[in-house]
Amino acid sequence: MVIALLLVLQLGTPPIYDRVILAGHVMDPASKLDAVRNIGLSGGRIAVITTHAISGRDTVDARGFVVAPGFIDLHAHGQTPETYRFYALDGVTTALELELGTSDVAAWYREREGGERINYGVSIGHIKVRMAVMHDSGTRMPVSDGAYRAASPAEIADIAQRIETGLRAGAVDIGAGFPYTPAATREELLAVFRVAARMKTPIHVHIRPGVVGLKEALALADETHAPLHVVHINSAGLAETPAMLELINAARASGRDVTTEAYPYDAGMTEITSSVIQDVYKNAPDERLAELEWPPTGERLNRESFERYARTGGPVVIHTNTEPMVAAAIASPLTIIASDAYWQDGTGHPRTAGTFARVLGRYVRETHALSLMDAIRKMTLMPAQRLEARVPAMRQKGRLRVGADADITIFDPVTVIDRSTYREPSLSPVGIQHVIVNGVSVVANGQAVEGVAPGKAVRGVAAR
Ligand SMILES: [Zn+2]
């Protein structure tokens, strides 16, 4: 008894962690750890990963569940408390708006400095900057000169300057969407890519459709040496998705810094008044309008209803892809999983609430399109690595290792599945059990925890 007591004194008292996650199946793509472990958290970081018994002031019983790094979404348009809640319930601990972005980076971060449910960040967006410089009358996306007027040399210089200013203000990187800005000349796009190259920042591009669109973006990147990230290859590629993945594979093999992403749905969504919809459907044969669905009613559009809804505006569902193309995009080792979450005025695309659970449930468990470890890699390590050259904070995310940020997602691999649909896009998934952001639970036992805001700003640093 005395000897035992002396031993305890000699070894020191065992640490009491802020919280412990016990007996979960830990899966970490970076270290390839794939085994039952206990994890101790202290001060918002991972303090220990061990087979030994540990204790903490708070305990999460993870028996039977997978413990993964928190999911990182590189393409999340909704950046509000409402959408951060959807993302958390889908296992996301960091949601970044890197395609549309913002035109005022400092203001964007200031609006959120009180803290959010999950980590957040934004790009300086060519679309938004162009709307400001060209005095576009649209609110969300360009509808007038921002889309349809060519910029003068002075305006191009202004656009490039504002993008550089945004990066210096801490934008994660640069966003662009060529179909939203059809009047932007090659000269203008080159000016934007040159900023990306000089600042060593990836440029996330919604390319023009198909192989032709991808080749255009690859040529711009080639000419300027800008790092390129092609967003939603599934909806940009449709039937050409496999050929486009081949092109990206070849570009990477020849040493170019090119990455891509996909979301697991065979229909897209965007604003009916945007040039992406208007340029395609305004003069299309009437029967093609049936590709479009109006979410509040579920009706397929015809010429009359298309023109009527275009006058009021709102998101429209676009049924143009097929399930085999989606499966090919999700299973490819090249793709990062990113939701392209879209939510506006209380409605949106089901991918907003279901992307990550859908990949885990449908594509991993039900159809075996990819392994669980590969799926987790596409949701954690790959997005972190895409950004970490410019965003040092990302080196502490997307991994479960001692010292990393305690951003952790714990799910039931047997039940995890999305529930959101085009009719009911806000339904949260099942099987996402616990979600921890900087050490704090934002989802516990499958339910959102209210009144917590542990999420921090994710920012880029200017290239030296
Ligand atoms: Zn897009």
Side-chain angles (χ1 to χ4, degrees):
M1 177 66 194
V2 173
I3 288 166
L5 186 65
L6 280 173
L7 258 176
V8 167
L9 288 172
Q10 216 169 22
L11 295 170
T13 42
I16 304 289
Y17 298 101
D18 289 345
R19 105 183 308 189
V20 290
I21 301 163
L22 299 183
H25 182 153
V26 176
M27 296 186 72
D28 176 52
S31 64
K32 302 194 169 62
L33 180 60
D34 187 0
V36 173
R37 290 286 187 275
N38 298 318
I39 298 182
L41 311 180
S42 279
R45 292 186 182 275
I46 296 173
V48 67
I49 302 174
T50 180
T51 54
H52 295 140
I54 54 173
S55 53
R57 279 179 279 280
D58 181 79
T59 298
V60 176
D61 179 359
R63 267 174 304 179
F65 298 151
V66 168
V67 179
F71 305 152
I72 299 166
D73 189 350
L74 298 184
H75 196 148
H77 290 301
Q79 293 278 330
T80 63
E82 180 186 28
T83 55
Y84 292 139
R85 189 173 183 279
F86 293 147
Y87 306 156
L89 286 163
D90 194 26
V92 172
T93 55
T94 301
L96 309 173
E97 151 66 285
L98 301 183
E99 182 208 47
L100 270 176
T102 180
S103 59
D104 188 341
V105 172
W108 193 95
Y109 281 106
R110 214 178 305 121
E111 283 165 21
R112 293 163 180 79
E113 68 192 1
E116 297 291 348
R117 182 183 291 268
I118 60 176
N119 303 308
Y120 55 89
V122 74
S123 65
I124 178 75
H126 171 251
I127 298 170
K128 295 283 193 182
V129 166
R130 196 174 205 279
M131 288 174 75
V133 169
M134 308 296 280
H135 306 289
D136 193 272
S137 58
T139 46
R140 192 183 151 75
M141 287 164 185
V143 296
S144 56
D145 281 5
Y148 300 113
R149 183 166 70 80
S152 67
E155 285 164 336
I156 291 175
D158 191 6
I159 288 168
Q161 182 56 50
R162 289 187 196 213
I163 288 174
E164 184 160 342
T165 300
L167 292 172
R168 295 198 186 284
V172 170
D173 53 22
I174 302 173
F178 302 168
Y180 293 101
T181 55
T185 58
R186 186 156 204 276
E187 212 38 57
E188 178 177 337
L189 300 180
L190 273 175
V192 177
F193 271 62
R194 280 193 206 102
V195 178
R198 193 165 63 246
M199 302 289 280
K200 297 183 168 53
T201 174
I203 176 163
H204 290 230
V205 182
H206 176 148
I207 60 174
R208 279 182 254 270
V211 165
V212 172
L214 177 58
K215 284 186 171 166
E216 176 192 30
L218 286 172
L220 290 164
D222 227 16
E223 195 165 329
T224 56
H225 303 288
L228 173 66
H229 179 81
V230 177
V231 304
H232 48 55
I233 190 90
N234 52 299
S235 59
L238 304 179
E240 295 179 48
T241 299
M244 289 163 72
L245 288 167
E246 266 311 306
L247 278 175
I248 290 173
N249 201 28
R252 289 175 60 83
S254 69
R256 287 192 270 168
D257 184 359
V258 185
T259 54
T260 190
E261 62 175 54
Y263 64 79
Y265 294 84
D266 63 8
M269 179 177 278
T270 196
E271 167 61 45
I272 193 170
T273 57
S274 73
S275 56
V276 167
I277 295 296
Q278 291 299 317
D279 291 0
V280 174
Y281 292 100
K282 209 172 181 169
N283 301 310
D286 285 358
E287 58 273 18
R288 269 203 72 190
L289 290 167
E291 291 172 4
L292 303 177
E293 176 186 343
W294 192 246
T297 58
E299 70 190 287
R300 295 299 181 112
L301 299 190
N302 55 38
R303 183 61 59 191
E304 181 276 321
S305 53
F306 176 75
E307 280 165 8
R308 181 158 40 88
Y309 290 130
R311 280 196 290 276
T312 52
V316 69
V317 183
I318 314 153
H319 292 277
T320 47
N321 209 357
T322 62
E323 181 55 32
M325 290 301 109
V326 176
I330 296 300
S332 164
L334 293 172
T335 53
I336 291 166
I337 303 301
S339 72
D340 192 14
Y342 187 110
W343 199 258
Q344 198 183 329
D345 304 327
T347 189
H349 194 293
R351 66 197 183 207
T352 308
T355 287
F356 292 84
R358 183 171 174 86
V359 170
L360 295 171
R362 181 180 173 91
Y363 293 94
V364 174
R365 187 183 58 242
E366 292 177 0
T367 67
H368 307 286
L370 72 174
S371 74
L372 183 52
M373 187 64 99
D374 284 343
I376 293 171
R377 177 181 299 108
K378 288 160 165 279
M379 299 171 176
T380 60
L381 184 64
M382 284 172 66
Q385 287 177 328
R386 167 71 284 189
L387 298 180
E388 65 193 24
R390 184 175 151 75
V391 187
M394 296 311 283
R395 292 177 201 150
Q396 305 306 328
K397 297 193 183 297
R399 291 101 165 154
L400 295 177
R401 63 151 186 253
V402 172
D405 294 342
D407 293 345
I408 298 174
T409 294
I410 300 169
F411 62 91
D412 182 348
V414 177
T415 62
V416 65
I417 196 76
D418 62 306
R419 292 190 305 152
S420 51
T421 63
Y422 294 97
R423 292 286 71 65
E424 293 186 274
S426 68
L427 287 178
S428 58
V430 293
I432 304 287
Q433 298 298 124
H434 301 276
V435 180
I436 296 168
V437 175
N438 296 309
V440 175
S441 281
V442 298
V443 172
N445 301 309
Q447 304 295 318
V449 179
E450 305 303 342
V452 291
K456 295 178 186 170
V458 172
R459 293 169 185 268
V461 293
R464 272 155 281 234

